[in-house]
Amino acid sequence: MVDYLIVGCGLAGISFSEMALANAKSILVVDNDSQNSSKIAGGLYNPVILKRFSEVWQAREQLLVMNQFYADLEQKLQIKVDFKKPILRKFFSVEEQNNWFAASDKPALAPFLSASIITKKYSGIDSPFHYGEVLHTGYVDTAALLENYKKYLLQESLMLLESFDYEALEVLSDSIRYKNIEAKHIIFAEGFGMHANPYFSHLPLDGTKGELFIIKAPNLDLDVIINTSVFILPLGDGLFKVGATYNWKDKTDLPTEEGKQELVDRIKEIINCEFEIISHFAGVRPTVKDRRPLVGTHTDYESIHLLNGLGTRGVMLGPAMAKALFENIEYGIPLEKEININRFEKRKR
């Protein structure tokens, strides 16, 4: 008997696994490596939606939980995954500068948008209108996190590397049985793979495909993240991660020529130096139309739970949503209406 059987080992699954272990609960994780959106994610965390100059929903609370979560993980795994770096918004006009100043005056955004224009010149970028700086930003190396966390789980015999067989799941009166494993609770954190889950496939999880590059640009000198129509994230040694596209129709994780051309065009809008594409990735983010995650317990089975729909902000959302679900299950603390999956169940009825 374990406390939690967790299906999926992306950002959602890892977040819940750690929340359970930190509270002295026993876990077993099932994962078949079929969902790669967490692995290839940009990994950026940013408390501001720059396109609309609005604060990310519950940004302060999420940052608080997130910072502690990754600090604890780094200590546990003895690796560095959380890199604090400024995000600079490149301005293309005086009007954009003025919009920035107006936004930085808003009480909700003032803690996150610097009121000072950044005039530093970066080799490889023309910036006659300079930059605005977003505060409390950075990125998580999601590929390193997933690889090392899975190693840890395997070393501790806390992981099954296999596809989850939904037909082998048996719901008991106050627990579940899966093959020869009994668990008090099961947490489904399969990302876009949730469409195959008979318990939750009725929920409106959409998939948004994103494509990213790793480029080599030896003449681009950046020690910050540039974010305009795409982000450019320095990795060292003249390498940069660039992304991402948004495609709501294509649900495959195969790179496309259209995505490639879109990224190339956007890179050329930002930098003025030569670059070479080293790698081209694609993945389907688990998104929800109302832009809120899917968290909660099945209407008919008290032992079956969901943690999904983290979308484009998984590194920020994951730890806070895992904490909310854990505290709901263990202590009966109600989930907020915006994230609770019953917001759709009521509509269904």
Side-chain angles (χ1 to χ4, degrees), residues 335-347:
L335 291 166
E336 296 192 49
K337 290 197 291 282
E338 295 103 320
I339 66 171
N340 197 325
I341 55 175
N342 69 14
R343 70 191 189 270
F344 297 111
E345 304 293 350
K346 287 172 184 171
R347 237 174 266 170

Side-chain angles (χ1 to χ4, degrees), residues 31-46:
D31 188 82
N32 66 351
D33 221 18
S34 66
Q35 302 301 313
N36 69 341
S37 67
S38 289
K39 193 187 304 175
I40 67 119
L44 268 61
Y45 51 89
N46 173 3

Side-chain angles (χ1 to χ4, degrees), residues 46-49 54-66 112 292-293 313 316-317 320-321 324 335-339:
N46 173 3
V48 181
I49 301 167
S54 55
E55 182 188 2
V56 167
W57 175 72
Q58 293 195 340
R60 288 169 177 78
E61 296 87 342
Q62 288 176 31
L63 284 171
L64 204 63
V65 177
M66 182 202 81
F112 303 127
R292 295 289 177 265
R313 300 186 182 274
M316 249 179 93
L317 262 180
M321 295 304 98
L335 291 166
E336 296 192 49
K337 290 197 291 282
E338 295 103 320
I339 66 171

Side-chain angles (χ1 to χ4, degrees), residues 273-335:
C273 57
E274 293 295 314
F275 64 90
E276 175 192 357
I277 300 165
I278 303 298
S279 309
H280 182 184
F281 307 102
V284 181
R285 314 171 185 93
T287 53
V288 186
K289 287 209 163 53
D290 67 1
R291 299 176 185 271
R292 295 289 177 265
L294 297 170
V295 185
T297 300
H298 195 282
T299 48
D300 300 324
Y301 306 112
E302 288 185 358
S303 301
I304 299 181
H305 314 275
L306 184 68
L307 180 58
N308 208 316
L310 301 183
T312 59
R313 300 186 182 274
V315 296
M316 249 179 93
L317 262 180
M321 295 304 98
K323 181 173 186 282
L325 180 58
F326 181 83
E327 291 178 346
N328 174 251
I329 296 167
E330 293 292 334
Y331 312 123
I333 297 172
L335 291 166

Side-chain angles (χ1 to χ4, degrees), residues 131-197:
Y131 307 91
E133 181 180 357
V134 190
L135 309 172
H136 307 292
T137 58
Y139 74 97
V140 170
D141 185 340
T142 54
L145 172 60
L146 266 66
E147 181 188 345
N148 284 276
Y149 198 79
K150 285 178 181 176
K151 273 185 196 168
Y152 157 75
L153 290 174
L154 288 167
Q155 282 168 3
E156 300 294 321
S157 302
L158 298 177
M159 188 173 199
L160 297 176
L161 290 173
E162 63 181 52
S163 296
F164 188 83
D165 179 2
Y166 298 101
E167 291 185 4
L169 179 61
E170 188 183 349
V171 184
L172 309 175
S173 59
D174 58 353
S175 61
I176 60 98
R177 183 180 292 123
Y178 177 68
K179 299 181 179 177
N180 62 338
I181 301 149
E182 198 170 333
K184 292 177 185 171
H185 302 276
I186 184 166
I187 308 291
F188 285 111
E190 316 111 308
F192 190 62
M194 188 192 89
H195 285 288
N197 185 327

